[in-house]
Amino acid sequence: MSITERSPDSSAAEPGQARSRGRTVQEILAGDPVPPPETLRREHPMHVGSEEIPVERYISKEWLALEAERLWSRVWQMACREEELVEVGDTVLYEVAHLSIIIVRTEDGLRGYHNACLHRGTQLRVHDGYTPEFRCPFHGWTWNLDGGLKEIPCDWDFPQVDAAEFQLPRVQVDTWGGWVFVNPDLDAPSLPEHLGTLPGEFPWDTAARYKSLHVSKVMRCNWKTCMEAFMESYHVVATHPQILLTTGDANTQYDVYEGEAGRPGWNRMLTPSAVASPHLGDGVDETTILQGMMSTYGMDAEGITVPEGSTARATLVSMSRSMDPAATPASIPGELVSDAEAIDSILYFIFPNMQPWAGTSPINYRFRPNGDDPDSCIMDVIFLSDFTGERPRPAEVIHLGPDDDWTMAEGLGALAMVFNQDTNNLPRVQRGLHATRRSGLPLALYQESRLRQFQRDLAAFIGAD
Ligand code: FES
């Protein structure tokens, strides 16, 4: 695409109001035989300003230290799944920046503690799993699961230690959608206040699914560099040109919702499938799109055509509904699942670092800084899947290093290649951020409005201008 393709109308539009040529998502959804949930029929664009995003936020150790102090220590963040903490004594270790937190199932529900011995600081836990108590491996100080001090070896030598003052310091713990969230700030607003209106606009029961895959990969870039790569479809034309035939990239819908009382907001994007990219113009015939989509799914497209008056989208969904789920991943489970939920990319963002996909997609993302290195982060890909009968055990974490390929994680399937395309760029982006002579990034007003809202809310936490 060149800038000469800019719509003649765009220069006349108010900032943030200009849109790509092509059908809107709402026009596409209006033609679907099985309409989507009401929330997807809403549009909520927001102009979040036109200021440049300071490059310093992506490369500076000082900024990363501010995030540790003012963001991660004060914000609700997804730590794990509730199904990982079934029995009393089950623990999960959650680490971000300098923070290390133990989440444990107790007789009184879920609790979270800072993972540090109150004698000389040793971490009480270094892995997930069951424990009947928290016993420090250095000198043996021990706490009960409820955080109360149980034992100090040679306690005659510690007359100054009052057990009431040496309970394990707690963090806030709460759940939504089967996810466990923690917040180290005991005075912070509640999780429902943090989530705001999002639960009412996310009508998918993720608590009823189980964790079927978890891949945790170290990336050679800042956590925001990585996360923001998954918050827009603007990159599709250059990074994934092979899907332009079947993806509404430039006409993706971006919705931005403000938080209440100065709290962070949330946002989402709806990228339609089985429609041609506006970059390809108006002349792409529906059968070509359909055959492209079928080959993406590994289906035999020989001789398949779109009936007169129908669309690739409607034909594909109709064919998929009648397929045997055991025979192909392209099948659509049940008549009640709408076309959009079945095939579109619907991706939500929960501040500061969680991205659950919606509809039938199993995908969820989480992004964290890797210690105190601004040029490294950890990206988690977590699949949630439906099940019948007894809830399966949650998947163990597959750890990938910075030089490991996503294809090394069994279970990602064809998505591994997409992740490789998405993430191969990122070390190069990070190095470029160090090299650039510009001090700010000129993000798009609409297609990158989700990034703008995140950066604005982040700056508010940090107390930056
Ligand atoms: Fe934990 Fe001494 S550091 S008991």
Side-chain angles (χ1 to χ4, degrees):
M1 180 184 181
S2 79
I3 202 160
T4 55
E5 287 182 59
R6 178 178 285 174
S7 154
D9 297 335
S10 65
S11 59
E14 291 294 313
Q17 303 297 310
R19 297 290 182 272
S20 161
R21 57 187 289 175
R23 286 190 297 164
T24 68
V25 166
Q26 292 306 317
E27 288 169 345
I28 293 167
L29 297 185
D32 285 348
V34 181
E38 202 180 315
T39 182
L40 299 185
R41 294 308 312 276
R42 283 193 268 282
E43 253 191 299
H44 205 272
M46 185 175 295
H47 178 49
V48 199
S50 54
E51 298 80 12
E52 298 195 344
I53 307 302
V55 170
E56 178 207 11
R57 294 184 188 178
Y58 299 87
I59 59 174
S60 122
K61 275 204 168 229
E62 291 71 25
W63 181 269
L64 198 75
L66 285 173
E67 289 177 348
E69 175 194 333
R70 300 179 187 177
L71 177 70
W72 302 112
S73 298
R74 297 171 47 208
V75 74
W76 284 100
Q77 51 209 284
M78 184 268 283
C80 62
R81 291 282 298 170
E82 206 169 350
E83 69 208 74
E84 296 174 275
L85 299 156
V86 176
E87 306 290 342
V88 170
D90 285 350
T91 68
V92 168
L93 188 59
Y94 171 67
E95 301 196 303
V96 59
H98 66 297
L99 289 170
S100 182
I101 291 168
I102 305 167
I103 305 122
V104 59
R105 168 88 50 195
T106 74
E107 298 281 3
D108 299 319
L110 296 177
R111 294 280 182 273
Y113 305 112
H114 292 277
N115 182 25
C117 175
L118 301 186
H119 178 219
R120 281 163 57 186
T122 307
Q123 288 193 320
L124 295 171
R125 299 284 295 169
V126 291
H127 52 70
D128 303 343
Y130 170 80
T131 185
E133 60 191 13
F134 300 114
R135 185 172 191 276
C136 179
F138 198 170
H139 309 94
W141 286 37
T142 304
W143 286 265
N144 295 313
L145 297 182
D146 67 5
L149 183 58
K150 179 180 182 184
E151 181 190 358
I152 297 178
C154 302
D155 59 354
W156 51 266
D157 213 9
F158 294 89
Q160 79 282 19
V161 171
D162 177 353
E165 292 178 11
F166 276 75
Q167 300 193 26
L168 288 179
R170 287 174 63 166
V171 304
Q172 293 199 68
V173 181
D174 202 350
T175 61
W176 171 73
W179 300 101
V180 178
F181 290 77
V182 297
N183 189 334
D185 182 357
L186 299 179
D187 298 321
S190 68
L191 179 62
E193 288 174 299
H194 176 75
L195 296 175
T197 56
L198 180 134
E201 300 289 342
F202 193 94
W204 296 278
D205 186 6
T206 49
R209 297 179 180 173
Y210 82 104
K211 188 174 86 165
S212 56
L213 182 72
H214 186 167
V215 185
S216 189
K217 177 167 163 51
V218 177
M219 308 288 296
R220 294 192 200 280
C221 63
N222 188 274
W223 69 278
K224 300 181 295 296
T225 307
C226 192
M227 184 174 81
E228 291 173 353
F230 294 86
M231 293 179 76
E232 39 83 4
S233 290
Y234 177 45
H235 69 280
V236 168
V237 65
T239 303
H240 312 295
Q242 79 279 9
I243 64 170
L244 287 179
L245 182 60
T246 58
T247 306
D249 56 344
N251 51 342
T252 288
Q253 175 178 315
Y254 299 90
D255 297 322
V256 174
Y257 290 82
E258 294 278 35
E260 293 170 0
R263 292 190 287 273
W266 60 275
N267 58 54
R268 68 181 182 188
M269 64 181 184
L270 283 64
T271 300
S273 283
V275 297
S277 164
H279 290 298
L280 300 182
D282 302 325
V284 185
D285 77 77
E286 294 292 318
T287 290
T288 305
I289 298 171
L290 175 64
Q291 293 184 346
M293 199 74 194
M294 290 177 70
S295 56
T296 301
Y297 284 163
M299 299 159 71
D300 182 8
E302 182 77 30
I304 301 285
T305 57
V306 173
E308 186 71 28
S310 186
T311 61
R313 185 175 168 91
T315 308
L316 178 80
V317 171
S318 166
M319 287 168 53
S320 300
R321 283 190 197 288
S322 58
M323 288 178 176
D324 175 4
T328 171
S331 72
I332 292 178
E335 290 291 329
L336 295 178
V337 174
S338 68
D339 301 17
E341 290 169 284
I343 64 170
D344 292 338
S345 300
I346 309 163
L347 188 50
Y348 282 65
F349 169 71
I350 302 174
F351 185 88
N353 65 337
M354 181 181 178
Q355 297 189 21
W357 285 61
T360 56
S361 170
I363 310 171
N364 299 269
Y365 302 136
R366 178 179 64 182
F367 305 85
R368 291 171 287 165
N370 189 13
D372 61 358
D373 183 357
D375 297 323
S376 177
C377 73
I378 301 166
M379 175 176 170
D380 291 286
V381 177
I382 299 171
F383 279 14
L384 297 184
S385 300
D386 294 326
F387 63 92
T388 53
E390 194 176 335
R391 177 179 283 274
R393 291 284 307 154
E396 299 282 331
V397 182
I398 300 170
H399 293 279
L400 297 180
D403 297 320
D404 292 338
D405 194 288
W406 286 100
T407 56
M408 294 168 67
E410 210 174 307
L412 280 176
L415 272 176
M417 298 301 290
V418 179
F419 287 146
N420 280 341
Q421 281 185 317
D422 277 317
T423 58
N424 284 348
N425 278 341
L426 297 177
R428 184 168 169 175
V429 175
Q430 190 67 24
R431 288 194 297 274
L433 286 166
H434 282 277
T436 185
R437 295 297 89 196
R438 288 195 61 86
S439 61
L441 308 181
L443 300 185
L445 302 190
Y446 178 60
Q447 294 181 86
E448 293 175 320
S449 57
R450 303 178 73 214
L451 286 65
R452 287 187 171 279
Q453 183 200 32
F454 159 65
Q455 287 285 348
R456 186 202 59 187
D457 290 346
L458 173 64
F461 255 85
I462 302 297
D465 293 333

